[in-house]
Amino acid sequence: MKKYAIIVAGGTGQRMKSAVPKQFLLLQGKPILFHTLLQFKKAFAEIELILVLPRDQFSTWQLLCQEHPEIIQACPHHLVEGGATRFHSSQQGILAIPVEKQALVAIHDGVRPLVSVDSIRHAYQSAEEYGNAVLAVSSKDSIRQWDTNENVYLPLDRTHIKIIQTPQIFEISILKRAFQQEYQDFFTDDASVVEVLGIDIHLVEGNYSNIKITTPEDMLIAEALTQNAST
């Protein structure tokens, strides 16, 4: 089955306290986005990559590709203009995919460069079997939820809690139908959009190193993890 991956990146660097959008920061000397794209190419050499960025970041990315020619050499991709929200950026990426009778499409955060190749492959295999697959890991922490009636935080059983990651992979026809809907505030990820159609979401095991880089502390962790992986 044909495979696509939509890499969505629209950060501005505010939480990173950086003038440079976080997806363009260098990790082990290469832009974070390059590491992200490369993981999908390592998983499947034939995969079609679609990178979704705000229009005003195109020139920055194109300059980085000139400075790091290995980006285009190793990870050829289509550049698509994003939207006002994550929903609309995913929608734009989906619209860029030609009509396919059978295809699997992953949607992935551009600032999750440490997703493992094994996790990507396993997720695509599961999506081919079940129609969708969403990476998730079990919570390591104790969890409490605010109870408005009791005016207190109540403990939750963490064995029943899953931390959702990306990629989130769906059969193309499902995605195209789901993203014809109007945007809703509760669309916190792509799976929540698909669920409105009445489709059950299939969770598969992710990897704990698949962190979303949003703060300076995350960057330090990512540097340490990539350094450890290369030694």
Side-chain angles (χ1 to χ4, degrees):
M1 192 177 293
K2 191 164 184 177
K3 298 175 180 64
Y4 293 88
I6 299 170
I7 310 300
V8 180
T12 60
Q14 184 175 2
R15 281 184 290 177
M16 187 61 73
K17 300 177 182 177
S18 167
V20 178
K22 56 196 174 185
Q23 57 267 21
F24 300 145
L25 293 175
L26 300 185
L27 178 63
Q28 295 293 312
K30 307 292 182 185
I32 286 174
L33 272 179
F34 171 62
H35 294 276
T36 305
L37 291 164
L38 188 59
Q39 290 303 93
F40 283 84
K41 270 296 183 182
K42 286 180 178 177
F44 301 103
E46 75 283 2
I47 198 168
E48 295 269 352
L49 297 174
I50 297 169
L51 176 58
V52 183
L53 289 174
R55 170 62 68 176
D56 61 7
Q57 294 182 8
F58 277 24
S59 58
T60 302
W61 177 242
Q62 289 161 349
L63 181 60
L64 283 170
C65 288
Q66 291 175 12
E67 294 174 354
H68 303 272
E70 62 273 22
I71 296 175
I72 300 301
Q73 293 168 4
C75 306
H77 56 274
H78 305 285
L79 192 57
V80 172
E81 182 178 355
T85 67
R86 168 57 183 269
F87 170 88
H88 294 99
S89 290
S90 293
Q91 187 180 60
Q92 289 296 99
I94 294 162
L95 288 172
I97 297 174
V99 175
E100 298 276 358
K101 289 185 177 179
Q102 284 191 313
L104 294 174
V105 181
I107 305 179
H108 185 65
D109 298 321
V111 288
R112 288 187 187 268
L114 303 180
V115 60
S116 73
V117 169
D118 284 345
S119 291
I120 293 171
R121 288 173 177 163
H122 179 51
Y124 272 98
Q125 289 167 1
S126 296
E128 188 162 1
E129 181 176 356
Y130 298 103
N132 68 78
V134 172
L135 288 192
V137 292
S138 298
S139 174
K140 294 180 178 180
D141 301 316
S142 295
I143 303 290
R144 285 178 178 260
Q145 183 178 40
W146 180 250
D147 186 315
T148 54
N149 294 325
E150 299 295 331
N151 199 33
V152 66
Y153 283 100
L154 298 176
L156 300 178
D157 184 351
R158 68 181 177 189
T159 62
H160 296 160
I161 302 295
K162 288 290 185 180
I163 310 300
I164 301 303
Q165 301 180 332
T166 65
Q168 301 184 359
I169 305 175
F170 307 90
E171 204 282 320
I172 182 63
S173 62
I174 292 173
L175 270 185
K176 285 190 176 286
R177 186 156 53 98
F179 277 84
Q180 289 176 353
Q181 302 175 86
E182 293 295 326
Y183 171 73
Q184 303 289 336
D185 288 338
F186 61 83
F187 288 161
T188 56
D189 64 356
D190 305 294
S192 61
V193 182
V194 170
E195 277 183 309
V196 175
L197 300 180
I199 294 172
D200 292 333
I201 299 301
H202 180 70
L203 299 185
V204 297
E205 194 65 31
N207 58 288
Y208 284 104
S209 60
N210 184 19
I211 62 171
K212 187 175 183 180
I213 300 176
T214 56
T215 67
E217 293 78 14
D218 296 331
M219 196 67 179
L220 290 172
I221 294 169
E223 287 282 1
L225 288 170
T226 51
Q227 180 64 36
N228 183 61
S230 63
T231 57

